[in-house]
Amino acid sequence: MLKLIGFKKINISIFISGTGSNLKNLINHSFKKNSKFKVVLIISNNPKAKGLNYAKKFRIKKKIINYSNNKNAEKKILIELKKNKVNLICLAGFMKILSENFINNFKGRIINIHPSLLPKYKGLNTHQRAIKNKEKYSGCTVHYVNSKLDSGKIILQKKVRILKNDTFKSLSKKILKHEHVIYPKALKKVLFNL
Ligand code: GRF
């Protein structure tokens, strides 16, 4: 308890491209008593991302980044991160791949959530592929981001049973619920180790 006196919250930035349910969930967690982090910046490459509405709702700064040139886009993001004193990045449905140079600027301080049991099904369309391959289980994984796609060290994982009648929709819905449980837990773990 004593340790918490004078504790300064860790500033995080969340990167999105779409719905933003993980974003919303992490923001809600940041408001909890004893939360060790604050969401200070939302980054989106997509101006139409639904998740951007949470910026207004929760009064969090947002930045829409034009990705017509990756290098320039990353440069702009890095400036924003610095300006807002961001310590840690959480990717949550961000559909752009970060360059090695960018990642090196935030070594060990970028995490991502992926809807599969990594190392299985890296990349896109994870649920379709798992169903097509008649997998008995799928799940979700929170991992550190390194320069290889969906390959960084695993922080937390949740295994989810695939039922015979599961469709892409039912499975993604089921897994998303677990994502909302493991992402804040994984973040807590990461913050503890910072
Ligand atoms: C999630 O399934 C996440 O695992 C993947 O993209 C999806 C984002 O969903 N990386 P949302 O935008 O957080 O609702």
Side-chain angles (χ1 to χ4, degrees):
M1 192 56 193
L2 267 179
K3 254 174 108 182
L4 288 175
I5 294 174
F7 178 82
K8 206 165 170 276
K9 292 197 179 201
I10 299 285
N11 288 342
I12 74 165
S13 174
I14 303 181
F15 290 20
I16 61 163
S17 300
T19 317
S21 71
N22 279 290
L23 163 74
K24 180 185 174 205
N25 180 54
L26 288 176
I27 295 172
N28 279 330
H29 274 266
S30 75
F31 294 142
K32 286 194 173 174
K33 214 174 135 198
N34 292 339
S35 152
K36 292 184 168 49
F37 69 96
K38 188 177 172 201
V39 183
V40 295
L41 180 66
I42 299 166
I43 296 276
S44 175
N45 64 304
N46 174 12
K48 290 186 179 144
K50 267 194 192 168
L52 284 170
N53 293 326
Y54 297 119
K56 198 171 176 195
K57 183 168 178 203
F58 295 109
R59 297 178 184 206
I60 295 169
K61 209 165 159 186
K62 67 165 188 232
K63 213 77 210 173
I64 296 157
I65 303 291
N66 178 340
Y67 247 85
S68 55
N69 177 307
N70 282 15
K71 223 175 172 179
N72 287 342
E74 288 191 347
K75 245 189 208 167
K76 276 187 201 142
I77 296 177
L78 281 172
I79 291 171
E80 288 302 322
L81 295 173
K82 209 167 180 190
K83 224 198 295 184
N84 291 283
K85 299 189 168 51
V86 170
N87 308 112
L88 186 90
I89 298 168
C90 293
L91 307 182
F94 185 60
M95 300 302 280
K96 293 287 174 189
I97 293 175
L98 298 168
S99 71
E100 196 166 353
N101 172 59
F102 184 95
I103 294 166
N104 283 338
N105 272 281
F106 267 82
K107 232 178 182 163
R109 287 164 182 259
I110 310 177
I111 62 175
N112 180 42
I113 182 136
H114 184 76
S116 81
L117 278 181
L118 288 174
K120 275 195 163 179
Y121 303 110
K122 297 172 182 175
L124 298 175
N125 305 319
T126 55
H127 305 314
Q128 289 96 323
R129 286 189 282 149
I131 290 174
K132 200 172 160 217
N133 288 346
K134 300 199 172 9
E135 296 281 2
K136 284 208 171 104
Y137 294 94
S138 186
C140 45
T141 306
V142 181
H143 64 95
Y144 285 101
V145 171
N146 65 13
S147 56
K148 277 195 191 155
L149 184 69
D150 300 326
S151 298
K153 193 174 167 225
I154 291 171
I155 303 159
L156 259 188
Q157 216 165 30
K158 174 71 188 176
K159 205 170 170 182
V160 178
R161 183 95 166 98
I162 303 180
L163 301 174
K164 272 207 182 112
N165 57 355
D166 260 329
T167 60
F168 152 74
K169 232 181 156 181
S170 66
L171 185 61
S172 64
K173 208 172 155 191
K174 205 158 51 172
I175 289 179
L176 198 58
K177 271 193 192 157
H178 291 286
E179 292 187 25
H180 297 161
V181 176
I182 69 162
Y183 210 171
K185 269 194 192 166
L187 178 58
K188 216 173 176 180
K189 230 174 137 182
V190 168
L191 293 177
F192 186 78
N193 290 325
L194 267 189

